[in-house]
Amino acid sequence: MKDFYGPLIEASEIIELLRQQQQIKTFSQKVLQKKVIEKAARERGLTVTPEEIQAEGDQLRREKRLEKAADTIAWLVDQMISVEDLEAGICDRLLRQKLAEHLFSKEVEKTFFQNKLQFDQIILYQIVVANPQLAQELFYQIQEGEISFFDAAHLYDIDENRRHLCGCQGKVYRWGLKPDIAVAVFSAKPGEVIRPIETELGYHLFLVEKFLPAELTPERYQEILHNLFNEWLANEVNYLLYNTKV
């Protein structure tokens, strides 16, 4: 078993710390997931070639600007891993992706169209205040042009980060909003300020900058694929645990 930082840290001490910080379950789950993936890939004849590992390794080095062999060696030393460790990790990631594609590539489009509305997005701004009278007053002031939505957010929002961003929430999925809020914002017109809505956080004013209708982009394809695969993987790990006698 490897020691870390020479004689200063033993692997057993790392395991003990993971237990104490309640992280041992998370890492144990990752080990079980690796076992499930390897078994499922083997049963389906899925493998990763040395050429694929090399290509992925080259991409990693470009991303980390490891232009020289000495740079790569220094990075590996800093990460406390060997070339073999790096290649094994790359192999695991590629095998996971291959298995996901094998199991669910034909399900992605079906899942997308069955849930297309939930993949709609908006560019959303909001102001949250604690007082209903203030929320109503801001709504009327914005309507009358006495203050802009963005200035009001910068001055009055209860969240410091949102104040700095002048109320910007960025891109938001329909499924990421509470049902009553989703109905209100997806029914609004771009630039329209929505009347205050109360939640447990306070009183919300919303402004929709732009609607982004759902498209099956490469990024969304991967998102759906990984969701389907992760759900399958969780079920397989649970089955393994349930059917293993301790």
Side-chain angles (χ1 to χ4, degrees):
M1 187 175 287
K2 279 185 181 178
D3 288 340
F4 298 87
Y5 292 110
L8 294 177
I9 304 174
E10 295 182 359
S12 60
E13 292 178 287
I14 294 176
I15 294 173
E16 184 60 28
L17 185 61
L18 290 174
R19 292 184 188 279
Q20 293 171 1
Q21 295 188 351
Q22 297 90 50
Q23 297 184 45
I24 194 72
K25 180 179 179 180
T26 299
F27 284 91
S28 296
Q29 289 277 330
K30 289 181 181 295
V31 173
L32 291 175
Q33 289 174 3
K34 177 179 167 67
K35 290 178 180 290
V36 166
I37 290 170
E38 289 176 346
K39 180 175 181 293
R42 192 164 53 247
E43 291 172 348
R44 292 162 176 81
L46 301 175
T47 59
V48 177
T49 67
E51 292 76 19
E52 290 169 328
I53 294 174
Q54 180 67 45
E56 192 72 13
D58 291 343
Q59 177 63 28
L60 177 67
R61 283 186 283 273
R62 284 193 293 272
E63 289 173 0
K64 296 189 176 297
R65 300 182 183 277
L66 304 173
E67 298 175 1
K68 301 177 183 177
D71 297 333
T72 302
I73 293 171
W75 180 81
L76 290 170
V77 170
D78 183 63
Q79 297 297 311
M80 300 169 64
I81 61 174
S82 66
V83 173
E84 291 75 21
D85 294 329
L86 177 64
E87 291 178 347
I90 290 172
C91 182
D92 287 346
R93 290 194 297 275
L94 292 175
L95 194 62
R96 183 188 184 101
Q97 180 67 22
K98 282 193 174 187
L99 182 59
E101 291 278 358
H102 180 84
L103 292 174
F104 297 109
S105 61
K106 295 180 181 178
E107 296 295 317
V108 171
E109 188 171 342
K110 177 182 175 182
T111 300
F112 172 74
F113 284 107
Q114 286 177 341
N115 303 276
K116 190 174 181 181
L117 279 180
Q118 294 304 313
F119 290 109
D120 284 340
Q121 289 180 291
I122 49 175
I123 299 177
L124 185 66
Y125 287 76
Q126 75 163 315
I127 304 169
V128 184
V129 295
N131 186 288
Q133 287 76 28
L134 176 59
Q136 198 65 47
E137 182 180 343
L138 289 175
F139 174 74
Y140 287 127
Q141 287 181 355
I142 295 168
Q143 290 286 84
E144 295 298 322
E146 297 175 14
I147 189 172
S148 73
F149 187 98
F150 315 107
D151 287 340
H154 183 66
L155 292 170
Y156 296 105
D157 199 297
I158 61 176
D159 182 84
E160 181 180 359
N161 185 56
R162 206 162 40 237
R163 285 201 302 274
H164 291 319
L165 296 174
C166 296
C168 182
Q169 290 289 121
K171 292 180 182 179
V172 179
Y173 281 109
R174 184 191 294 265
W175 54 259
L177 299 168
K178 292 189 173 183
D180 56 336
I181 293 176
V183 169
V185 298
F186 277 92
S187 300
K189 297 177 181 178
E192 178 185 352
V193 180
I194 299 167
R195 286 181 175 277
I197 297 175
E198 182 182 2
T199 73
E200 69 278 4
L201 298 177
Y203 296 84
H204 302 246
L205 296 172
F206 293 99
L207 181 147
V208 178
E209 179 182 294
K210 186 177 181 181
F211 289 95
L212 304 170
E215 294 181 55
L216 189 55
T217 60
E219 294 76 18
R220 185 157 292 127
Y221 173 91
Q222 289 298 327
E223 177 187 343
I224 297 172
L225 179 70
H226 289 155
N227 288 342
L228 291 171
F229 180 73
N230 288 338
E231 183 179 351
W232 171 85
L233 187 57
N235 289 334
E236 290 296 307
V237 168
N238 288 336
Y239 178 83
L240 181 63
L241 289 169
Y242 183 80
N243 289 278
T244 300
K245 295 180 180 180
V246 180

